[in-house]
Amino acid sequence: MMRFDPFREIEELTQRMDRAFGSSGGTQGARLAPPVDVHEDGQGLELTLDLPGVSPDSIQIEAENQTLSVQAERRYERTDGRTAHRVERAYGTLSRTFSVPAKYDLTKVEADFDHGTLTIRVPRSEAAQKRSINVRTAGQLTSSRTVDSDNADNVSNKEVAHAG
C-alpha cells in the first residue's frame, strides 16, 4: 500500500523534542506533520488529515511523480496589548508527503475540506482495474478470466462457452 517513510519517524521525534524543550513550540517557524488515516478499497485510496484551525485558502496539494504532498499554514495571531500566558497549540506549516504506488491515478485526485478535516481521494488507474479477458483455444472462445492487475496470481476462471 503506502511505502515506509524512514524520515517520518525522525520528523515526529524532532517535533516531540521541540515541544518538550520549547525550542519551536508555538512559534511561526515550526514544521508539523498532521495525523493521517489512510484507507484503501477497490475504488482507490482515501487519505484523511486533521488540519484544525487551518484556513482552506492556505491548503496546497501537489501530485507529481507518484508523490502526493499536502501543505497548510496555521497562523498565530499576535495582538498588541494582549499578553500570552501560555501557548501550547502548535502553529506553523503543516506538511505531509506520501509515496503513492503507480496503480493509482494522481491526475484524478479529489479533495474536500470540512470542519478541519481534509479528505483526499486517489482513484485506481484504469490499467489497475479488474477486467475480463476472453481466452480462445484453436480460435474458439472457451472461457473468460477475471484478472486483477494488483495480483496476477489471483485469477478466477468461469466457463462462458464451450464449442466442441
Side-chain angles (χ1 to χ4, degrees):
M1 188 165 100
M2 302 301 277
R3 291 188 196 135
F4 173 71
D5 181 5
F7 299 105
R8 170 80 176 117
E9 290 182 15
I10 294 170
E11 185 176 321
E12 287 177 353
L13 179 61
T14 301
Q15 288 175 17
R16 287 184 191 145
M17 296 293 287
D18 288 346
R19 281 194 298 266
F21 296 108
S23 62
S24 68
T27 65
Q28 194 69 10
R31 192 161 193 88
L32 310 163
V36 64
D37 293 338
V38 179
H39 294 96
E40 178 181 29
D41 62 17
Q43 305 303 310
L45 289 176
E46 183 177 273
L47 297 91
T48 308
L49 291 90
D50 287 343
L51 300 174
V54 168
S55 168
D57 298 340
S58 77
I59 300 171
Q60 297 175 356
I61 302 171
E62 296 179 358
E64 181 179 27
N65 297 327
Q66 298 313 121
T67 300
L68 183 68
S69 300
V70 179
Q71 187 168 314
E73 186 79 21
R74 184 161 66 191
R75 293 179 181 87
Y76 178 69
E77 301 294 328
R78 296 184 192 268
T79 307
D80 287 339
R82 183 173 162 190
T83 302
H85 292 282
R86 184 175 292 233
V87 179
E88 292 184 353
R89 299 181 340 160
Y91 296 93
T93 302
L94 298 135
S95 178
R96 290 296 295 262
T97 301
F98 306 94
S99 295
V100 180
K103 67 181 177 180
Y104 298 102
D105 190 349
L106 287 177
T107 64
K108 296 181 180 175
V109 173
E110 294 179 358
D112 296 304
F113 187 65
D114 185 36
H115 293 93
T117 300
L118 177 66
T119 303
I120 302 171
R121 286 176 211 67
V122 185
R124 281 180 172 260
S125 67
E126 291 295 322
Q129 297 291 331
K130 288 186 180 181
R131 61 196 176 281
S132 186
I133 300 169
N134 295 325
V135 179
R136 297 181 184 269
T137 303
Q140 297 178 346
L141 179 65
T142 58
S143 67
S144 175
R145 291 181 178 216
T146 301
V147 177
D148 180 355
S149 63
D150 261 358
N151 186 358
D153 298 330
N154 191 10
V155 177
S156 65
N157 186 12
K158 58 182 177 180
E159 196 67 30
V160 174
H162 185 63

PDB file of all heavy atoms in Angstrom, residues 1 39-47 100-106 108-110 120-130 148-150:
ATOM      1  N   MET A   1       0.828  -1.171   0.000  1.00  0.00           N
ATOM      2  CA  MET A   1       0.000   0.000   0.000  1.00  0.00           C
ATOM      3  C   MET A   1       0.880   1.245   0.000  1.00  0.00           C
ATOM      4  O   MET A   1       1.365   1.635  -1.013  1.00  0.00           O
ATOM      5  CB  MET A   1      -0.936  -0.023   1.200  1.00  0.00           C
ATOM      6  CG  MET A   1      -1.952   1.071   1.155  1.00  0.00           C
ATOM      7  SD  MET A   1      -3.274   0.776   2.299  1.00  0.00           S
ATOM      8  CE  MET A   1      -2.741   1.836   3.590  1.00  0.00           C
ATOM      9  N   HIS A  39      -6.875   4.762   4.018  1.00  0.00           N
ATOM     10  CA  HIS A  39      -7.708   3.592   3.758  1.00  0.00           C
ATOM     11  C   HIS A  39      -7.654   3.270   2.272  1.00  0.00           C
ATOM     12  O   HIS A  39      -7.486   4.166   1.438  1.00  0.00           O
ATOM     13  CB  HIS A  39      -9.162   3.858   4.166  1.00  0.00           C
ATOM     14  CG  HIS A  39      -9.331   4.055   5.633  1.00  0.00           C
ATOM     15  ND1 HIS A  39      -9.354   5.299   6.215  1.00  0.00           N
ATOM     16  CD2 HIS A  39      -9.460   3.163   6.634  1.00  0.00           C
ATOM     17  CE1 HIS A  39      -9.506   5.165   7.515  1.00  0.00           C
ATOM     18  NE2 HIS A  39      -9.563   3.883   7.804  1.00  0.00           N
ATOM     19  N   GLU A  40      -7.819   1.989   1.963  1.00  0.00           N
ATOM     20  CA  GLU A  40      -7.797   1.529   0.575  1.00  0.00           C
ATOM     21  C   GLU A  40      -8.976   0.607   0.352  1.00  0.00           C
ATOM     22  O   GLU A  40      -9.316  -0.217   1.204  1.00  0.00           O
ATOM     23  CB  GLU A  40      -6.485   0.781   0.310  1.00  0.00           C
ATOM     24  CG  GLU A  40      -6.370   0.227  -1.087  1.00  0.00           C
ATOM     25  CD  GLU A  40      -5.070  -0.526  -1.306  1.00  0.00           C
ATOM     26  OE1 GLU A  40      -4.534  -1.089  -0.320  1.00  0.00           O
ATOM     27  OE2 GLU A  40      -4.607  -0.571  -2.442  1.00  0.00           O
ATOM     28  N   ASP A  41      -9.621   0.737  -0.809  1.00  0.00           N
ATOM     29  CA  ASP A  41     -10.664  -0.200  -1.217  1.00  0.00           C
ATOM     30  C   ASP A  41     -10.549  -0.412  -2.727  1.00  0.00           C
ATOM     31  O   ASP A  41      -9.573   0.028  -3.339  1.00  0.00           O
ATOM     32  CB  ASP A  41     -12.063   0.294  -0.800  1.00  0.00           C
ATOM     33  CG  ASP A  41     -12.463   1.612  -1.452  1.00  0.00           C
ATOM     34  OD1 ASP A  41     -11.847   2.019  -2.459  1.00  0.00           O
ATOM     35  OD2 ASP A  41     -13.411   2.240  -0.954  1.00  0.00           O
ATOM     36  N   GLY A  42     -11.515  -1.046  -3.312  1.00  0.00           N
ATOM     37  CA  GLY A  42     -11.473  -1.331  -4.741  1.00  0.00           C
ATOM     38  C   GLY A  42     -11.491  -0.088  -5.614  1.00  0.00           C
ATOM     39  O   GLY A  42     -11.088  -0.130  -6.779  1.00  0.00           O
ATOM     40  N   GLN A  43     -11.963   1.026  -5.080  1.00  0.00           N
ATOM     41  CA  GLN A  43     -12.033   2.279  -5.839  1.00  0.00           C
ATOM     42  C   GLN A  43     -10.721   3.058  -5.816  1.00  0.00           C
ATOM     43  O   GLN A  43     -10.421   3.797  -6.740  1.00  0.00           O
ATOM     44  CB  GLN A  43     -13.153   3.166  -5.296  1.00  0.00           C
ATOM     45  CG  GLN A  43     -14.510   2.505  -5.255  1.00  0.00           C
ATOM     46  CD  GLN A  43     -14.938   2.004  -6.619  1.00  0.00           C
ATOM     47  OE1 GLN A  43     -14.885   2.741  -7.592  1.00  0.00           O
ATOM     48  NE2 GLN A  43     -15.347   0.751  -6.695  1.00  0.00           N
ATOM     49  N   GLY A  44      -9.963   2.911  -4.723  1.00  0.00           N
ATOM     50  CA  GLY A  44      -8.711   3.653  -4.622  1.00  0.00           C
ATOM     51  C   GLY A  44      -8.309   3.920  -3.184  1.00  0.00           C
ATOM     52  O   GLY A  44      -8.694   3.189  -2.272  1.00  0.00           O
ATOM     53  N   LEU A  45      -7.539   4.979  -3.000  1.00  0.00           N
ATOM     54  CA  LEU A  45      -7.059   5.381  -1.675  1.00  0.00           C
ATOM     55  C   LEU A  45      -7.872   6.554  -1.151  1.00  0.00           C
ATOM     56  O   LEU A  45      -8.323   7.397  -1.924  1.00  0.00           O
ATOM     57  CB  LEU A  45      -5.607   5.860  -1.747  1.00  0.00           C
ATOM     58  CG  LEU A  45      -4.518   4.843  -1.993  1.00  0.00           C
ATOM     59  CD1 LEU A  45      -3.176   5.552  -2.132  1.00  0.00           C
ATOM     60  CD2 LEU A  45      -4.469   3.830  -0.876  1.00  0.00           C
ATOM     61  N   GLU A  46      -8.021   6.594   0.178  1.00  0.00           N
ATOM     62  CA  GLU A  46      -8.612   7.756   0.821  1.00  0.00           C
ATOM     63  C   GLU A  46      -7.707   8.143   1.971  1.00  0.00           C
ATOM     64  O   GLU A  46      -7.438   7.341   2.858  1.00  0.00           O
ATOM     65  CB  GLU A  46     -10.018   7.461   1.318  1.00  0.00           C
ATOM     66  CG  GLU A  46     -10.675   8.677   1.931  1.00  0.00           C
ATOM     67  CD  GLU A  46     -12.089   8.413   2.371  1.00  0.00           C
ATOM     68  OE1 GLU A  46     -13.001   8.564   1.539  1.00  0.00           O
ATOM     69  OE2 GLU A  46     -12.263   8.026   3.547  1.00  0.00           O
ATOM     70  N   LEU A  47      -7.213   9.380   1.944  1.00  0.00           N
ATOM     71  CA  LEU A  47      -6.354   9.914   2.994  1.00  0.00           C
ATOM     72  C   LEU A  47      -7.141  10.988   3.728  1.00  0.00           C
ATOM     73  O   LEU A  47      -7.729  11.864   3.098  1.00  0.00           O
ATOM     74  CB  LEU A  47      -5.093  10.537   2.398  1.00  0.00           C
ATOM     75  CG  LEU A  47      -4.172   9.586   1.637  1.00  0.00           C
ATOM     76  CD1 LEU A  47      -4.536   9.539   0.170  1.00  0.00           C
ATOM     77  CD2 LEU A  47      -2.751  10.013   1.799  1.00  0.00           C
ATOM     78  N   VAL A 100       2.893   7.294  -3.517  1.00  0.00           N
ATOM     79  CA  VAL A 100       1.685   6.618  -3.965  1.00  0.00           C
ATOM     80  C   VAL A 100       2.060   5.612  -5.049  1.00  0.00           C
ATOM     81  O   VAL A 100       2.701   5.977  -6.041  1.00  0.00           O
ATOM     82  CB  VAL A 100       0.661   7.642  -4.516  1.00  0.00           C
ATOM     83  CG1 VAL A 100      -0.594   6.953  -4.992  1.00  0.00           C
ATOM     84  CG2 VAL A 100       0.335   8.678  -3.446  1.00  0.00           C
ATOM     85  N   PRO A 101       1.680   4.340  -4.891  1.00  0.00           N
ATOM     86  CA  PRO A 101       2.002   3.332  -5.905  1.00  0.00           C
ATOM     87  C   PRO A 101       1.424   3.691  -7.275  1.00  0.00           C
ATOM     88  O   PRO A 101       0.415   4.399  -7.377  1.00  0.00           O
ATOM     89  CB  PRO A 101       1.336   2.057  -5.362  1.00  0.00           C
ATOM     90  CG  PRO A 101       1.222   2.292  -3.890  1.00  0.00           C
ATOM     91  CD  PRO A 101       0.986   3.769  -3.740  1.00  0.00           C
ATOM     92  N   ALA A 102       2.053   3.199  -8.324  1.00  0.00           N
ATOM     93  CA  ALA A 102       1.675   3.527  -9.702  1.00  0.00           C
ATOM     94  C   ALA A 102       0.271   3.056 -10.069  1.00  0.00           C
ATOM     95  O   ALA A 102      -0.297   3.534 -11.052  1.00  0.00           O
ATOM     96  CB  ALA A 102       2.687   2.934 -10.675  1.00  0.00           C
ATOM     97  N   LYS A 103      -0.316   2.148  -9.289  1.00  0.00           N
ATOM     98  CA  LYS A 103      -1.656   1.657  -9.626  1.00  0.00           C
ATOM     99  C   LYS A 103      -2.742   2.695  -9.347  1.00  0.00           C
ATOM    100  O   LYS A 103      -3.898   2.480  -9.640  1.00  0.00           O
ATOM    101  CB  LYS A 103      -1.958   0.352  -8.887  1.00  0.00           C
ATOM    102  CG  LYS A 103      -2.086   0.486  -7.394  1.00  0.00           C
ATOM    103  CD  LYS A 103      -2.354  -0.874  -6.769  1.00  0.00           C
ATOM    104  CE  LYS A 103      -2.409  -0.797  -5.262  1.00  0.00           C
ATOM    105  NZ  LYS A 103      -2.664  -2.104  -4.683  1.00  0.00           N
ATOM    106  N   TYR A 104      -2.359   3.861  -8.777  1.00  0.00           N
ATOM    107  CA  TYR A 104      -3.302   4.940  -8.511  1.00  0.00           C
ATOM    108  C   TYR A 104      -3.055   6.099  -9.456  1.00  0.00           C
ATOM    109  O   TYR A 104      -1.927   6.369  -9.842  1.00  0.00           O
ATOM    110  CB  TYR A 104      -3.198   5.396  -7.053  1.00  0.00           C
ATOM    111  CG  TYR A 104      -3.554   4.283  -6.112  1.00  0.00           C
ATOM    112  CD1 TYR A 104      -2.568   3.582  -5.446  1.00  0.00           C
ATOM    113  CD2 TYR A 104      -4.871   3.893  -5.932  1.00  0.00           C
ATOM    114  CE1 TYR A 104      -2.881   2.526  -4.608  1.00  0.00           C
ATOM    115  CE2 TYR A 104      -5.192   2.834  -5.099  1.00  0.00           C
ATOM    116  CZ  TYR A 104      -4.199   2.166  -4.439  1.00  0.00           C
ATOM    117  OH  TYR A 104      -4.517   1.114  -3.631  1.00  0.00           O
ATOM    118  N   ASP A 105      -4.130   6.791  -9.835  1.00  0.00           N
ATOM    119  CA  ASP A 105      -4.070   7.852 -10.834  1.00  0.00           C
ATOM    120  C   ASP A 105      -4.016   9.222 -10.161  1.00  0.00           C
ATOM    121  O   ASP A 105      -5.047   9.755  -9.730  1.00  0.00           O
ATOM    122  CB  ASP A 105      -5.291   7.750 -11.742  1.00  0.00           C
ATOM    123  CG  ASP A 105      -5.198   8.645 -12.954  1.00  0.00           C
ATOM    124  OD1 ASP A 105      -4.284   9.503 -12.999  1.00  0.00           O
ATOM    125  OD2 ASP A 105      -6.036   8.507 -13.860  1.00  0.00           O
ATOM    126  N   LEU A 106      -2.832   9.801 -10.089  1.00  0.00           N
ATOM    127  CA  LEU A 106      -2.662  11.098  -9.444  1.00  0.00           C
ATOM    128  C   LEU A 106      -3.197  12.261 -10.285  1.00  0.00           C
ATOM    129  O   LEU A 106      -3.254  13.389  -9.807  1.00  0.00           O
ATOM    130  CB  LEU A 106      -1.195  11.338  -9.099  1.00  0.00           C
ATOM    131  CG  LEU A 106      -0.653  10.517  -7.936  1.00  0.00           C
ATOM    132  CD1 LEU A 106       0.830  10.778  -7.731  1.00  0.00           C
ATOM    133  CD2 LEU A 106      -1.422  10.806  -6.661  1.00  0.00           C
ATOM    134  N   LYS A 108      -6.277  12.375 -11.193  1.00  0.00           N
ATOM    135  CA  LYS A 108      -7.702  12.462 -10.868  1.00  0.00           C
ATOM    136  C   LYS A 108      -7.956  12.589  -9.360  1.00  0.00           C
ATOM    137  O   LYS A 108      -8.961  12.134  -8.849  1.00  0.00           O
ATOM    138  CB  LYS A 108      -8.425  11.235 -11.416  1.00  0.00           C
ATOM    139  CG  LYS A 108      -8.374  11.161 -12.930  1.00  0.00           C
ATOM    140  CD  LYS A 108      -9.113   9.964 -13.458  1.00  0.00           C
ATOM    141  CE  LYS A 108      -9.022   9.936 -14.975  1.00  0.00           C
ATOM    142  NZ  LYS A 108      -9.621   8.730 -15.514  1.00  0.00           N
ATOM    143  N   VAL A 109      -7.029  13.210  -8.649  1.00  0.00           N
ATOM    144  CA  VAL A 109      -7.161  13.384  -7.205  1.00  0.00           C
ATOM    145  C   VAL A 109      -8.289  14.368  -6.897  1.00  0.00           C
ATOM    146  O   VAL A 109      -8.430  15.385  -7.573  1.00  0.00           O
ATOM    147  CB  VAL A 109      -5.835  13.901  -6.602  1.00  0.00           C
ATOM    148  CG1 VAL A 109      -5.993  14.240  -5.137  1.00  0.00           C
ATOM    149  CG2 VAL A 109      -4.728  12.880  -6.802  1.00  0.00           C
ATOM    150  N   GLU A 110      -9.091  14.045  -5.884  1.00  0.00           N
ATOM    151  CA  GLU A 110     -10.152  14.935  -5.420  1.00  0.00           C
ATOM    152  C   GLU A 110      -9.930  15.220  -3.944  1.00  0.00           C
ATOM    153  O   GLU A 110      -9.473  14.341  -3.209  1.00  0.00           O
ATOM    154  CB  GLU A 110     -11.518  14.286  -5.597  1.00  0.00           C
ATOM    155  CG  GLU A 110     -11.908  14.054  -7.031  1.00  0.00           C
ATOM    156  CD  GLU A 110     -13.264  13.393  -7.159  1.00  0.00           C
ATOM    157  OE1 GLU A 110     -13.895  13.080  -6.121  1.00  0.00           O
ATOM    158  OE2 GLU A 110     -13.696  13.173  -8.291  1.00  0.00           O
ATOM    159  N   ILE A 120      -8.757  13.361   1.024  1.00  0.00           N
ATOM    160  CA  ILE A 120      -8.210  13.278  -0.332  1.00  0.00           C
ATOM    161  C   ILE A 120      -8.507  11.889  -0.878  1.00  0.00           C
ATOM    162  O   ILE A 120      -8.222  10.887  -0.223  1.00  0.00           O
ATOM    163  CB  ILE A 120      -6.682  13.528  -0.331  1.00  0.00           C
ATOM    164  CG1 ILE A 120      -6.373  14.899   0.270  1.00  0.00           C
ATOM    165  CG2 ILE A 120      -6.120  13.405  -1.742  1.00  0.00           C
ATOM    166  CD1 ILE A 120      -4.901  15.139   0.498  1.00  0.00           C
ATOM    167  N   ARG A 121      -9.063  11.835  -2.086  1.00  0.00           N
ATOM    168  CA  ARG A 121      -9.348  10.552  -2.745  1.00  0.00           C
ATOM    169  C   ARG A 121      -8.472  10.418  -3.984  1.00  0.00           C
ATOM    170  O   ARG A 121      -8.412  11.341  -4.798  1.00  0.00           O
ATOM    171  CB  ARG A 121     -10.817  10.470  -3.124  1.00  0.00           C
ATOM    172  CG  ARG A 121     -11.725  10.241  -1.936  1.00  0.00           C
ATOM    173  CD  ARG A 121     -13.197  10.274  -2.349  1.00  0.00           C
ATOM    174  NE  ARG A 121     -14.042  10.762  -1.290  1.00  0.00           N
ATOM    175  CZ  ARG A 121     -14.073  11.997  -0.791  1.00  0.00           C
ATOM    176  NH1 ARG A 121     -13.269  12.890  -1.255  1.00  0.00           N
ATOM    177  NH2 ARG A 121     -14.888  12.347   0.176  1.00  0.00           N
ATOM    178  N   VAL A 122      -7.792   9.273  -4.073  1.00  0.00           N
ATOM    179  CA  VAL A 122      -6.926   8.984  -5.219  1.00  0.00           C
ATOM    180  C   VAL A 122      -7.466   7.701  -5.855  1.00  0.00           C
ATOM    181  O   VAL A 122      -7.337   6.617  -5.277  1.00  0.00           O
ATOM    182  CB  VAL A 122      -5.454   8.782  -4.790  1.00  0.00           C
ATOM    183  CG1 VAL A 122      -4.569   8.598  -6.016  1.00  0.00           C
ATOM    184  CG2 VAL A 122      -4.970   9.940  -3.934  1.00  0.00           C
ATOM    185  N   PRO A 123      -8.103   7.809  -7.039  1.00  0.00           N
ATOM    186  CA  PRO A 123      -8.698   6.610  -7.649  1.00  0.00           C
ATOM    187  C   PRO A 123      -7.648   5.674  -8.241  1.00  0.00           C
ATOM    188  O   PRO A 123      -6.527   6.087  -8.560  1.00  0.00           O
ATOM    189  CB  PRO A 123      -9.586   7.190  -8.749  1.00  0.00           C
ATOM    190  CG  PRO A 123      -8.925   8.477  -9.116  1.00  0.00           C
ATOM    191  CD  PRO A 123      -8.312   9.002  -7.839  1.00  0.00           C
ATOM    192  N   ARG A 124      -8.045   4.416  -8.374  1.00  0.00           N
ATOM    193  CA  ARG A 124      -7.195   3.454  -9.078  1.00  0.00           C
ATOM    194  C   ARG A 124      -7.090   3.875 -10.538  1.00  0.00           C
ATOM    195  O   ARG A 124      -8.033   4.410 -11.098  1.00  0.00           O
ATOM    196  CB  ARG A 124      -7.806   2.047  -9.042  1.00  0.00           C
ATOM    197  CG  ARG A 124      -7.596   1.329  -7.760  1.00  0.00           C
ATOM    198  CD  ARG A 124      -8.250  -0.059  -7.869  1.00  0.00           C
ATOM    199  NE  ARG A 124      -7.899  -0.845  -6.724  1.00  0.00           N
ATOM    200  CZ  ARG A 124      -6.949  -1.776  -6.720  1.00  0.00           C
ATOM    201  NH1 ARG A 124      -6.287  -2.030  -7.806  1.00  0.00           N
ATOM    202  NH2 ARG A 124      -6.675  -2.445  -5.636  1.00  0.00           N
ATOM    203  N   SER A 125      -5.967   3.605 -11.152  1.00  0.00           N
ATOM    204  CA  SER A 125      -5.808   3.915 -12.574  1.00  0.00           C
ATOM    205  C   SER A 125      -6.615   2.913 -13.390  1.00  0.00           C
ATOM    206  O   SER A 125      -6.933   1.815 -12.917  1.00  0.00           O
ATOM    207  CB  SER A 125      -4.338   3.873 -12.979  1.00  0.00           C
ATOM    208  OG  SER A 125      -3.854   2.551 -12.901  1.00  0.00           O
ATOM    209  N   GLU A 126      -6.967   3.300 -14.591  1.00  0.00           N
ATOM    210  CA  GLU A 126      -7.738   2.417 -15.475  1.00  0.00           C
ATOM    211  C   GLU A 126      -6.998   1.092 -15.691  1.00  0.00           C
ATOM    212  O   GLU A 126      -7.600   0.034 -15.728  1.00  0.00           O
ATOM    213  CB  GLU A 126      -8.012   3.097 -16.818  1.00  0.00           C
ATOM    214  CG  GLU A 126      -8.968   4.262 -16.719  1.00  0.00           C
ATOM    215  CD  GLU A 126     -10.371   3.846 -16.308  1.00  0.00           C
ATOM    216  OE1 GLU A 126     -10.847   2.785 -16.744  1.00  0.00           O
ATOM    217  OE2 GLU A 126     -10.984   4.589 -15.522  1.00  0.00           O
ATOM    218  N   ALA A 127      -5.675   1.153 -15.831  1.00  0.00           N
ATOM    219  CA  ALA A 127      -4.885  -0.059 -16.068  1.00  0.00           C
ATOM    220  C   ALA A 127      -4.921  -1.004 -14.874  1.00  0.00           C
ATOM    221  O   ALA A 127      -4.724  -2.208 -15.021  1.00  0.00           O
ATOM    222  CB  ALA A 127      -3.445   0.312 -16.397  1.00  0.00           C
ATOM    223  N   ALA A 128      -5.191  -0.478 -13.676  1.00  0.00           N
ATOM    224  CA  ALA A 128      -5.191  -1.306 -12.469  1.00  0.00           C
ATOM    225  C   ALA A 128      -6.575  -1.865 -12.143  1.00  0.00           C
ATOM    226  O   ALA A 128      -6.718  -2.620 -11.188  1.00  0.00           O
ATOM    227  CB  ALA A 128      -4.681  -0.496 -11.285  1.00  0.00           C
ATOM    228  N   GLN A 129      -7.590  -1.515 -12.928  1.00  0.00           N
ATOM    229  CA  GLN A 129      -8.947  -2.001 -12.681  1.00  0.00           C
ATOM    230  C   GLN A 129      -9.066  -3.470 -13.095  1.00  0.00           C
ATOM    231  O   GLN A 129      -8.395  -3.931 -14.020  1.00  0.00           O
ATOM    232  CB  GLN A 129      -9.971  -1.173 -13.474  1.00  0.00           C
ATOM    233  CG  GLN A 129     -10.017   0.281 -13.082  1.00  0.00           C
ATOM    234  CD  GLN A 129     -10.586   0.494 -11.700  1.00  0.00           C
ATOM    235  OE1 GLN A 129     -11.402  -0.265 -11.213  1.00  0.00           O
ATOM    236  NE2 GLN A 129     -10.134   1.558 -11.060  1.00  0.00           N
ATOM    237  N   LYS A 130      -9.951  -4.183 -12.396  1.00  0.00           N
ATOM    238  CA  LYS A 130     -10.221  -5.567 -12.789  1.00  0.00           C
ATOM    239  C   LYS A 130     -10.910  -5.559 -14.140  1.00  0.00           C
ATOM    240  O   LYS A 130     -11.719  -4.692 -14.432  1.00  0.00           O
ATOM    241  CB  LYS A 130     -11.130  -6.256 -11.761  1.00  0.00           C
ATOM    242  CG  LYS A 130     -10.434  -6.552 -10.471  1.00  0.00           C
ATOM    243  CD  LYS A 130     -11.336  -7.356  -9.561  1.00  0.00           C
ATOM    244  CE  LYS A 130     -10.616  -7.637  -8.259  1.00  0.00           C
ATOM    245  NZ  LYS A 130     -11.416  -8.430  -7.351  1.00  0.00           N
ATOM    246  N   ASP A 148      -7.124  -9.426 -11.857  1.00  0.00           N
ATOM    247  CA  ASP A 148      -6.889  -8.268 -11.007  1.00  0.00           C
ATOM    248  C   ASP A 148      -5.434  -7.879 -11.202  1.00  0.00           C
ATOM    249  O   ASP A 148      -4.536  -8.652 -10.890  1.00  0.00           O
ATOM    250  CB  ASP A 148      -7.160  -8.638  -9.541  1.00  0.00           C
ATOM    251  CG  ASP A 148      -6.947  -7.482  -8.597  1.00  0.00           C
ATOM    252  OD1 ASP A 148      -6.504  -6.409  -9.046  1.00  0.00           O
ATOM    253  OD2 ASP A 148      -7.221  -7.667  -7.401  1.00  0.00           O
ATOM    254  N   SER A 149      -5.196  -6.700 -11.739  1.00  0.00           N
ATOM    255  CA  SER A 149      -3.818  -6.312 -12.043  1.00  0.00           C
ATOM    256  C   SER A 149      -2.969  -6.163 -10.790  1.00  0.00           C
ATOM    257  O   SER A 149      -1.765  -6.154 -10.864  1.00  0.00           O
ATOM    258  CB  SER A 149      -3.799  -5.010 -12.833  1.00  0.00           C
ATOM    259  OG  SER A 149      -4.331  -3.981 -12.051  1.00  0.00           O
ATOM    260  N   ASP A 150      -3.591  -6.034  -9.613  1.00  0.00           N
ATOM    261  CA  ASP A 150      -2.851  -5.983  -8.351  1.00  0.00           C
ATOM    262  C   ASP A 150      -2.093  -7.275  -8.112  1.00  0.00           C
ATOM    263  O   ASP A 150      -0.984  -7.288  -7.637  1.00  0.00           O
ATOM    264  CB  ASP A 150      -3.823  -5.840  -7.176  1.00  0.00           C
ATOM    265  CG  ASP A 150      -3.926  -4.414  -6.721  1.00  0.00           C
ATOM    266  OD1 ASP A 150      -3.215  -3.581  -7.290  1.00  0.00           O
ATOM    267  OD2 ASP A 150      -4.715  -4.174  -5.802  1.00  0.00           O
TER     268      ASP A 150
END
